[in-house]
Structures are given as C-alpha cells and as structure tokens.
Amino acid sequence: MHPDSFIAVAAAMANPRTVGGTSGVAMERWSIGIALTYAMMMGFVWLTGFDTGLVFWRRADFEALGGYDERRMAAEDIDFLVRLRRLGRTRGQRPPASSTSTATGTRTQMPAQGWRLLRDRSALNDFARRYWYEGR
C-alpha cells in the first residue's frame, strides 16, 4: 500500500458526496496470466463503479445495508458494493472519480483458478469453501 493511503481515504470521506471508494492497484510486473486476470476483473469494476484494492465506506452505510450477505459463498464484497452504489445514487453520492492511492502485489494462483472456474462453474462453491472458509 502507498504510505498516504489512509490520508487519501480520510480526504475522500470528508466529502459528503462520496459514498465510499477504493485504492486501485498497480501491478509490480506484467505477464499474460496477470493481464488476463486483470482483464477479467474489469467487469466487476464496471459493474460496481469501484476499482480494486483497499475498499472503504461509512460504517452507518454498511449497517444500513446489512453488511455482507453471509449466505453467499463468493462475491459478497461485490454484492455489497453494488448495493452501496445504489444507496449512494439515491443520495447523490458516488465513488471518487479516481483511485485514492496505489497498492502493489498479485496472486500467482489467480489466473489458473480463474481459468478453472470459467471451465467448471460448479467449482465455484468448492473453491470458495477451501479458499475462504476451511480451517477458519
């Protein structure tokens, strides 16, 4: 994370027209796999209006929306951000026009997992259970 990330978050949230936001990411390196994974994630960015990286919002909005839907095995964060964007629209709020800071890093397993999930949709629940929930 960039050293000024939380300064940028505080500045963004000081604006009452901001519903929440994200830091965005900057890749340390590029490869075909990283580029394909990044391209696949762009759909979520377009869907939610939020980028990736550090994500932030007001606690009152999180509580008003009921937080994350714990019945979901995956993408509960994306579901929440879609609902947050809708709430913001009703109040004339939106995410900041640009990322607030940069973060670095990639997961080398993500391209392979993304390809597996594209080929076998039934693998999503298995992947989510192993990745996020087993042993926790």
Side-chain angles (χ1 to χ4, degrees), residues 2 10-12 21 23 32 43-44 52-56 58-59 74-75 78 105 107 110 113 119 121 124-125 131:
H2 190 277
S23 65
I32 291 173
F44 299 123
T52 57
L54 171 76
V55 183
F56 56 92
R58 290 177 179 83
R59 180 183 183 133
I78 295 168
R107 292 190 182 272
M110 293 310 282
Q113 290 297 336
R119 288 189 343 255
R121 299 262 179 192
L124 179 59
N125 283 345
Y131 189 79

Side-chain angles (χ1 to χ4, degrees), residues 62-78:
F62 185 79
E63 291 173 353
L65 292 170
Y68 287 154
D69 183 350
E70 294 182 10
R71 297 169 296 177
R72 292 180 167 270
M73 289 295 289
E76 63 274 8
D77 52 343
I78 295 168

Side-chain angles (χ1 to χ4, degrees), residues 7 12 26-27 33 38 46 49 54 68 70 105 108 111-112 119 122 130:
I7 293 170
M27 299 298 162
Y38 191 81
W46 294 324
L54 171 76
Y68 287 154
E70 294 182 10
T108 58
R119 288 189 343 255
S122 66
R130 282 184 295 119

Side-chain angles (χ1 to χ4, degrees), residues 73-133:
M73 289 295 289
E76 63 274 8
D77 52 343
I78 295 168
D79 169 70
F80 176 79
L81 292 174
V82 168
R83 291 184 288 128
L84 181 64
R85 183 182 67 177
R86 283 188 202 132
L87 176 66
R89 281 184 180 167
T90 67
R91 301 185 302 203
Q93 296 174 311
R94 60 191 182 119
S98 62
S99 297
T100 59
S101 64
T102 60
T104 60
T106 61
R107 292 190 182 272
T108 58
Q109 297 177 0
M110 293 310 282
Q113 290 297 336
W115 178 247
R116 178 175 169 246
L117 295 176
L118 283 174
R119 288 189 343 255
D120 181 7
R121 299 262 179 192
S122 66
L124 179 59
N125 283 345
D126 179 55
F127 170 75
R129 185 175 43 259
R130 282 184 295 119
Y131 189 79
W132 284 296
Y133 299 106

